[in-house]
Amino acid sequence: MLKTTTAFLIFAFKLLLMTTAYSQDLSFSKQLFDTYDTYRESALTHRRFKQIDILPLIDQLKTDSRFEVTTVGESVEKRPIQMIKVGSGPRKVLLWSQMHGDEPSATMAIFDIFNLLRTDGPFEDFKKQLLAETTLYFVPMLNPDGAERYQRRNALDIDLNRDALRLQSPESRILKGLQQSLKPDFGFNLHDQSTRYSAGPTPKQATISFLATAYDQARNINPVRERSMQLIVGMNRVLQQYIPGGVGRFSDEFEPRAFGDNIQKWGTTLILIESGGYPNDPEKQFIRKLNYVAILSGLQAIATDAYKTESRSEYNTIPENERYLFDVLIRNAQIMRGGKPITVDLGINRYEVNVGHAATFGYRSVIDDFGDLSTFFGIEEIDATGLTLAPGKIHPQSLRSLADLKKYKLDSLVQLGVTTFRLATPSRATTHLSPIHLLQPTTTAVRPVQTGRIPTFVLRRGNQLRYVFVNGFWYDVSTGDNKLATGVVE
Ligand SMILES: [Zn+2]
């Protein structure tokens, strides 16, 4: 009896501990979420910032005695790679972002976190505890040469995340050197993933995905990896408040050449965070905020050991990342083939194309699939039941240059089904800002709509125009809903 009572008391105490951790988590993260705008770094407003944009922000930290800024090496093109240390606690945490130059969402969140740490306000108790219990090492931009070009790879055209063994890039040697010399207990490996991953076989985008990276082919779970799972369980619970059903689990297939896998193997508890897509957030500013909330909640769980009460089995309930999404899915369109109508769905994806020095971008959209796509979803969906797909009109006048477009009222033309202009002289541009499809002088004008082609066409009901598509963006003639964006040169 006594034994049973004691067992019950221990159970009740554990339960109490868990519920306390649980409620603390959510009220703390809610406070982070609600006060975010106070700490948001206003110098960063879009994804294509360069190292030159963050250097002054790092310089500011040098004037604050709590922060220690060191240059830990330089990139292939001699850009300094900097690390910011803050805190003096026994639990060491290394956080690195933008190993891939075109994956900057978490980089922005790191500067928001610095602002929280150096601004007086309602988080004093949290900060005191965090900086006493942990030592944080941030490398906000590991691949500045890639960021300069807004590309994944570094200036040697090497993917740093496949260079953990061969170490041919200075940036890879820096990261391995930091892991080996600091021997951090925890590592945050911060990336962006495709905006077209869904959380499970659903229409929900995986806005954030986590991975407790595997350290061997068999995907075994040792205490190092178990801690990753426990931390992720807590961060997932936090994020479900803001993106219910929008958290995914990245594939844990072992990649022997990747850093996450090796760092987990080298004994640092590794948490991969991937920023995906969120509706109407092309610059990922809401996703940046979610990174801020998730990372700080994770750090709090490390500082307080709260993650130890989490059950690792809950990790497996997070749905896996799946490929069920197109940017636009057109369902049940009729299309003429050999004089007969057939019914097809069209899966359209919009691909970003860097413009100039990668400071801005356009889109080139592609029909990536065609046929029965009833098992897929669209981030935007068009029901084309009863509608026939046909080519848009080509304007009778040719353009001498792109600048000639200024002479036309493009919106009114598009609303009449004019989708295309022909250029009289060749242009070197591949995208442009106006919502119109341009054909180079030698490009064939009318070709069948099929996979690999740029989605420019109209959808009609009989003779009545219903939708106009230009480069994968669309205008709804009956409602006036205008989603037209940038054009393309083909
Ligand atoms: Zn990446």
Side-chain angles (χ1 to χ4, degrees):
M1 180 66 188
L2 185 67
K3 215 172 165 185
T4 328
T5 320
T6 318
F8 176 76
L9 280 174
I10 291 171
F11 171 75
F13 181 65
K14 275 188 178 166
L15 200 69
L16 182 75
L17 269 183
M18 280 170 73
T19 29
T20 318
Y22 179 88
S23 53
Q24 258 177 4
D25 252 354
L26 295 185
S27 63
F28 172 67
S29 57
K30 186 175 186 309
Q31 199 185 1
L32 288 172
F33 187 90
D34 291 344
T35 58
Y36 172 72
D37 286 346
T38 314
Y39 305 103
R40 183 179 183 279
E41 175 48 61
S42 58
L44 302 173
T45 56
H46 61 81
R47 288 173 291 147
R48 280 174 169 71
F49 56 88
K50 313 290 181 203
Q51 192 195 42
I52 199 165
D53 300 309
I54 63 165
L55 287 177
L57 304 176
I58 295 175
D59 277 344
Q60 278 175 22
L61 298 175
K62 291 178 183 165
T63 63
D64 187 323
S65 61
R66 285 169 291 192
F67 295 88
E68 196 181 307
V69 179
T70 41
T71 300
V72 287
E74 52 185 27
S75 65
V76 175
E77 294 180 335
K78 310 285 181 209
R79 292 190 173 87
I81 293 172
Q82 288 171 312
M83 182 173 77
I84 296 99
K85 178 186 169 192
V86 58
S88 55
R91 300 165 182 80
K92 287 186 274 185
V93 188
L94 176 62
L95 307 93
W96 62 96
S97 183
Q98 230 166 334
M99 162 194 287
H100 293 136
D102 57 352
E103 300 182 7
S105 298
T107 307
M108 297 186 275
I110 286 176
F111 286 96
D112 304 332
I113 291 172
F114 291 151
N115 285 348
L116 173 90
L117 294 177
R118 68 200 193 96
T119 312
D120 292 339
F123 293 98
E124 294 316 303
D125 290 345
F126 160 68
K127 282 152 57 175
K128 208 170 151 189
Q129 184 178 36
L130 180 69
L131 301 182
E133 298 298 338
T134 69
T135 306
L136 308 175
Y137 302 89
F138 292 93
V139 180
M141 190 184 272
L142 186 64
N143 180 6
D145 301 348
E148 193 65 24
R149 301 163 172 81
Y150 205 71
Q151 68 178 27
R152 178 180 177 88
R153 290 164 184 258
N154 73 352
L156 299 174
D157 199 28
I158 284 178
D159 180 343
L160 299 182
N161 213 22
R162 300 291 178 270
D163 196 33
L165 299 180
R166 200 173 274 181
L167 297 170
Q168 292 303 294
S169 303
E171 301 90 347
S172 309
R173 293 193 287 273
I174 290 168
L175 181 56
K176 180 166 185 187
L178 288 174
Q179 196 280 335
Q180 303 279 301
S181 59
L182 300 172
K183 296 188 171 52
D185 304 288
F186 299 91
F188 283 73
N189 186 13
L190 304 169
H191 290 254
D192 283 67
Q193 65 182 4
S194 167
T195 55
R196 289 183 285 272
Y197 277 127
S198 57
T202 72
K204 275 259 175 178
Q205 280 172 292
T207 301
I208 296 281
S209 291
F210 290 110
L211 174 64
T213 315
Y215 59 87
D216 63 3
Q217 293 288 1
R219 309 174 203 191
N220 283 313
I221 302 170
N222 63 2
V224 176
R225 188 171 181 218
E226 181 175 24
R227 286 193 283 273
S228 323
M229 294 175 165
Q230 290 173 306
L231 274 163
I232 289 168
V233 166
M235 289 190 283
N236 172 52
R237 187 186 305 121
V238 165
L239 289 183
Q240 291 295 335
Q241 311 296 302
Y242 310 107
I243 43 167
V247 179
R249 185 159 47 98
F250 207 84
S251 160
D252 72 346
E253 204 173 318
F254 180 63
E255 170 48 70
R257 304 165 298 164
F259 265 101
D261 309 56
N262 281 288
I263 286 177
Q264 189 90 285
K265 188 160 88 183
W266 299 331
T268 293
T269 289
L270 195 282
I271 297 105
L272 173 74
I273 304 182
E274 297 270 357
S275 293
Y278 187 76
N280 304 313
D281 187 22
E283 290 300 337
K284 296 200 172 189
Q285 297 303 305
F286 179 63
I287 303 175
R288 160 191 184 173
K289 177 175 176 177
L290 295 175
N291 267 273
Y292 168 89
V293 173
I295 293 169
L296 284 167
S297 302
L299 292 177
Q300 189 211 29
I302 290 171
T304 58
D305 288 338
Y307 70 90
K308 290 183 179 174
T309 62
E310 303 285 4
S311 154
R312 85 176 194 210
S313 59
E314 235 180 279
Y315 174 77
N316 294 312
T317 65
I318 302 172
E320 286 193 78
N321 272 7
E322 304 277 5
R323 287 265 184 201
Y324 280 95
L325 288 174
F326 294 100
D327 285 325
V328 187
L329 182 53
I330 301 175
R331 296 193 190 273
N332 302 314
Q334 296 242 301
I335 187 164
M336 298 305 282
R337 281 289 187 269
K340 288 184 187 151
I342 57 169
T343 299
V344 292
D345 308 321
L346 288 90
I348 292 170
N349 288 326
R350 299 161 175 161
Y351 296 98
E352 289 185 13
V353 180
N354 286 327
V355 174
H357 299 290
T360 57
F361 67 102
Y363 287 100
R364 185 181 181 91
S365 300
V366 174
I367 300 169
D368 272 340
D369 208 347
F370 185 88
D372 180 355
L373 304 179
S374 54
T375 55
F376 291 87
F377 304 100
I379 296 168
E380 294 169 12
E381 292 205 3
I382 303 276
D383 179 7
T385 306
L387 305 183
T388 304
L389 194 149
K393 290 182 197 148
I394 301 177
H395 198 274
Q397 273 166 331
S398 295
L399 302 173
R400 277 168 305 157
S401 72
L402 269 170
D404 262 9
L405 277 175
K406 290 199 188 83
K407 296 180 192 163
Y408 298 90
K409 280 194 168 172
L410 289 176
D411 277 355
S412 331
L413 285 173
V414 170
Q415 286 166 25
L416 296 169
V418 177
T419 56
T420 308
F421 272 88
R422 183 175 283 290
L423 288 162
T425 51
S427 167
R428 286 168 65 185
T430 55
T431 64
H432 64 103
L433 293 176
S434 307
I436 202 87
H437 192 125
L438 299 177
L439 293 175
Q440 300 278 14
T442 53
T443 305
T444 312
V446 180
R447 290 170 299 166
V449 169
Q450 61 185 54
T451 55
R453 291 270 155 81
I454 297 170
T456 296
F457 45 71
V458 298
L459 289 163
R460 317 175 160 274
R461 187 182 304 280
N463 285 329
Q464 212 179 1
L465 205 54
R466 186 65 177 76
Y467 290 95
V468 184
F469 269 78
V470 177
N471 188 30
F473 295 90
W474 48 270
Y475 174 74
D476 182 336
V477 178
S478 61
T479 63
D481 196 2
N482 188 347
K483 301 261 188 192
L484 294 170
T486 66
V488 68
V489 185
E490 187 185 18

